[in-house]
Amino acid sequence: MAECGASGSGSSGDSLDKSITLPPDEIFRNLENAKRFAIDIGGSLTKLAYYSTVQHKVAKVRSFDHSGKDAEQEHEPPYEISVQEEITARLHFIKFENTYIETCLDFIKDHLVNTETKVIQATGGGAYKFKDLIEQKLRLKVDKEDVMTCLIKGCNFVLKNIPHEAFMYQKDADPEFRFQTNHPNIFPYLLVNIGSGVSIVKVETEDKFEWIGGSSIGGGTFWGLGALLTKTKKFDELLHLASKGQHTNVDMLVGDIYGGAYQTLGLSGNLIASSFGKSATADKEFSKEDMSKSLLHMISNDIGQLACLYAKLHNLDKVYFGGFFIRGHPATMRTITYSINFFSKGEVQALFLRHEGYLGAIGAFLKGAEQDNPNQYSWGENYAGSSGLMSTSPELYPMQRARSGTFDLLEMDRLERPLVDLPLLLDPSSYIPDTVDLTDDAMARKYWLTCFEEALDGVVNRAIASQPDSIDAAERAEKFRQKYWNKLQTLRHQPFAYGTLTVRSLLETREHCLNEFNFPDPYSKVKQRENGIALKCFQRVIRSLDSLGWEERQFALVKGLLAGNVFDWGAKAVSDVLESEPQFGFEEAKKKLQERPWLVDSYGEWLQRLKGPPHKCALIFADNSGIDIILGVFPFVRELLFRGTEVILACNSGPALNDVTYSESLIVAERIAAMDPLIQSALKEDKLLLVQTGSSSPCLDLSRLDKGLAVLVRERSTDLVIIEGMGRAIHTNYHAALRCESLKLAVIKNSWLADRLGGRLFSVIFKYEVPAK
């Protein structure tokens, strides 16, 4: 979030430089590649949206061409790596005070190079007022869009694409935000938009919504009556007065009438019986603060009761509130929440949105981009370029900027393929990927934030080492360090900034920041080397396994899978060993493992299941490159194939740490097939299928998987899911309930986490679960 200084509307980029702390190109990022614009202008805030094409580096792998050679060289790596430029799509949303609109339009005009359109979609009450200014400055024709249509489109978009978009507000909780996990099926819901008045809209599908009611008593009423009562003209100042007031000095309570609770009707004594009731009989002046508080309660309670009645009438339990009356203000969120809870007796939840202020701009953009069908794609929030939700309590964070003097940023990256639920989730609506909510767990939050801070030097060094031929690698790595460090400090003070804080979100934020400074795959050379070493050992490992009796072999396969999982460069306990002991290998890793009984040990049940009929199809989510995938996973896959089970092997679409990517797995499988007839025939006959997950994270969200993978899971009647690794099976999915058998296994490579789970370093989790009949 960029802080604004003194207001003013100069006419060049220079004046913008003087009026805000952040450089303008860090606010209007990638503007030179902007293709299409939309704008939403309210009474005091402007929200600008634009779509740009982003050029960034990606690491590509491909097999060496051995045609014309007798054989590959002994020390040749298993494949070559090249860094290429790739173009992706990004949506940018910027929110700023109308004071800055002319200055910002000037800056945009001076930096527009590649725009594809002659039109700018506009919505909001200010679209008409500023129409001439926009057309004059940008030389784009203003095309006005319907406010409510834009609002609904924007709301659908954020609910579908940002899993932690919606939150409940809890006044006395720390922190005050409680995020809800959104799922792909977001309909139906009620949207209560509180602007000057109140509009209540029932949203049933992407394109079907209905205005079902409203009220003339809304934000404008609070503002207008407040101005008459207090002579205060500014909305934010009225709310500030209300936050300091005591409404009981002005309102008549049930206790004032009955001397306490009214037991017959079950009404407590502190309920408001009559708003402003004491002012009729009291012979005294009331403070501005108390009158503002009473007015706020009166209007919020009215809106809350109205919303509650409509929700019950239409049998809806999801009610989202938006509009300038809300705008992240704790006083309004608190009173609305209380009102809804009271009138619904807790059956209806008042939900607010992290990006509520952007809904109109997002909707206007989507209206203008309909020919590109943006809804056919999935989008993901780019944490590196988004400012996040700021605290509503300035005293919680001394560095907190004043809300009225900020530029707010949101960036969304278009994902290559649509993401959907894993069809095997028992109940997608209740699935929560993450095991620990660091927003709630202060001790865990403090540990993991410190852990990521301490790991930063190692990540910076690894990033620089991955690009030895780049003259500016050190400079870019230092920028990465600064950006990620700043994100960590924000999350220390405001753990809710990007939704629920988890180990997964910390890892993903780091990956976003690395990509931001063109470090697409810092571990590419490490993975290349380790894949080469492991491939040379594959046949020896298979011969050793094949020499064992059946029962002994099953245990050796599981032990190999666990030993392979030790090789995780993301775990400091392991990376320290790998850095200092280059000879540390597969056999050494086996010796590190906890002896049975393991910390979580369902091996006996798994062995019994293996004595039964084979599974029809197993879905395996792989973890690390090198020894893990080649000497751990592939021998396990080979045994399943031998039993007559088809296998879907799912690997990350993009790089994260030393996790194996889909493109790397194709080459590894090709090399293994050349050494192993069983793997070769399984690939040829489509009994072994390699697919991508749609993810570029060391963790795993089973509600956001590649659509192609989901289709395959259905087609093959998958009846076994195997999830391996600390990120995928412990930090996420440890409690995930599936409709089929599942195996979650990992080695704990973090002392603090091991201690928390009641184990020690290198303790083993082997969790075999069968769904209840």
Side-chain angles (χ1 to χ4, degrees), residues 49 55-56 102 132 148 236 276 311 347 409 468 484 500 506 570-571 685 748 770:
Q55 199 165 22
H56 62 100
E102 189 170 349
D132 292 343
M148 191 54 68
D236 285 3
F276 289 90
E347 290 176 17
L409 313 174
Y484 189 55
T500 301
L506 288 170
E685 295 165 20
I748 303 172
V770 180

Side-chain angles (χ1 to χ4, degrees), residues 16-35:
L16 188 64
D17 276 314
K18 290 168 187 169
S19 65
I20 57 177
T21 305
L22 269 185
D25 57 358
E26 286 191 31
I27 295 171
F28 301 99
R29 285 156 41 99
N30 204 37
L31 194 58
E32 65 278 9
N33 293 311
K35 307 296 181 190

Side-chain angles (χ1 to χ4, degrees), residues 709-728:
L709 167 57
V711 169
L712 204 53
V713 162
R714 275 202 194 91
E715 286 176 354
R716 298 293 170 121
S717 304
T718 302
D719 53 356
L720 173 65
V721 174
I722 300 171
I723 306 174
E724 68 132 353
M726 207 161 76
R728 291 169 181 78

Side-chain angles (χ1 to χ4, degrees), residues 95-120:
K95 183 166 61 177
F96 51 88
E97 281 188 327
N98 290 352
T99 314
Y100 294 98
I101 190 165
E102 189 170 349
T103 313
C104 290
L105 291 175
D106 276 321
F107 183 81
I108 293 166
K109 177 190 71 177
D110 293 344
H111 291 78
L112 273 187
V113 179
N114 295 315
T115 183
E116 291 175 346
T117 181
K118 298 298 176 194
V119 174
I120 180 169

Side-chain angles (χ1 to χ4, degrees), residues 366-384:
L366 293 172
K367 281 286 287 177
E370 279 176 344
Q371 68 269 32
D372 296 333
N373 198 5
N375 277 321
Q376 74 180 338
Y377 299 99
S378 289
W379 300 77
E381 183 176 3
N382 179 352
Y383 298 136

Side-chain angles (χ1 to χ4, degrees), residues 132-149:
D132 292 343
L133 180 69
I134 294 167
E135 290 188 338
Q136 173 207 332
K137 295 284 185 185
L138 299 186
R139 301 186 187 89
L140 297 174
K141 179 179 177 292
V142 170
D143 193 350
K144 284 193 72 179
E145 299 289 352
D146 175 66
V147 172
M148 191 54 68
T149 303

